[in-house]
Amino acid sequence: MLLMALFARGQTVTVTDEITRELLIGVWISDGSLKVESNAKGEADISALKGDSLTVSLGGYETLRTSRSALTGDQPTIVMRQSDVTLQTVVISPNRWEEGQITNPSRVQGIKMRDVAFQNPQTAADLLGGSGYVFIQKSQQAGGSPMLRGFATNRVMLVVDGVRMNNAIFRSGNLQNVISLDANDLESAEVLFGPGAVMYGSDAIGGVMDFHTLKPKFSQNDKLRFGGSAFGRFSSANLERTGHVDLNFGLKKLAFVTSITLADYDDLRTGSRGNAYFLRPTYQSTINGVDSTLVNPDPQKQVQSGFGQEIFCRKSVSSPPNTWIWNMVSIIRRRPMRHDMIA
């Protein structure tokens, strides 16, 4: 019985990065006929695999071959090394089907969620701008208009889980609807440089920015698979107060994920040193129905730039057949205006 207990305990392995020791999600472990995937905790149950020889693979990492007998100890761990050459990176969005990056004629740049977590962007516009691949025109705090190759709005395409957010009938000026996305609810993001008109039409002549929200994960056994994450953030530059939580519930043939983000941003403050052009000595307000110019007692404070944001996202999937139900509600709230539904 003691040997059986040790054997049963060794059926769950943990997969980590060789350098950062970060838990790796979505790692496939296969014995040649069956394969299992690591969960949100970087753990994979290999009890269903029968063979002794195992193959461990993940995009961006070197494929590892090991044996079940080598996974010993109370907490067996598989350590993976990042690949120096990532020509075989899988790209999902540009051609609407999975494809190796080396076979795609256009340049496609993936935005790593690991880098996004390190940069900790406040909005999806900051996520794109922080990547270094997209120029963001941001004339206001609650804004962020992405530009590719000099094109913007109705000449670049924003796609969320295969659903376009804009098209050619949008105005040619800057468009700020990218902030209606939740930067904390993304599983991956990709930027297609060059014309994407073949797949999306002339409104994608400048390029495509494709976002994939969190994907529901199925249970690998008869038990309920439950996971999630949560965090809170405070920023002194604009007194940001953000809270986020996402939960995943998965059965064998039914799974869904729910994400909620509540954020409140106060008026932005400029630095105490620098060009006086960026100060705001006056601001406008309506008094008794008359537009008036008032003196700002604190010129460093960008009065009336504060806003709030509430984003709710829910995705459900059943298999088989592979049926998706996707909902997203994003509410942008400006002070002191009423709630305004954006998407």
Side-chain angles (χ1 to χ4, degrees), residues 30-89:
S30 172
D31 64 352
S33 57
L34 298 175
K35 62 181 179 179
V36 295
E37 182 183 10
S38 62
N39 58 21
K41 296 181 180 180
E43 298 177 346
D45 184 2
I46 62 173
S47 58
L49 305 180
K50 305 303 181 183
D52 182 66
S53 178
L54 302 178
T55 301
V56 187
S57 60
L58 177 65
Y61 287 82
E62 296 180 358
T63 300
L64 177 67
R65 290 175 174 80
T66 184
S67 62
R68 185 190 296 268
S69 57
L71 302 175
T72 59
D74 294 340
Q75 296 179 339
T77 302
I78 298 177
V79 179
M80 300 194 68
R81 178 182 300 175
Q82 291 191 19
S83 175
D84 295 330
V85 180
T86 58
L87 295 179
Q88 296 301 326
T89 301

Side-chain angles (χ1 to χ4, degrees), residues 8 13 15-16 29 83 99 115 138 146 156 167 178 187 192 210 218 224 230 242 249 256 258 289 300 321:
V13 297
V15 189
T16 63
I29 304 177
S83 175
E99 179 183 31
D115 298 336
K138 196 170 185 179
V156 293
N167 52 43
V178 70
E187 191 168 272
L192 168 63
D210 187 89
F218 291 101
L224 173 67
T242 296
F249 297 88
F256 62 92
T258 301
Q300 289 180 235

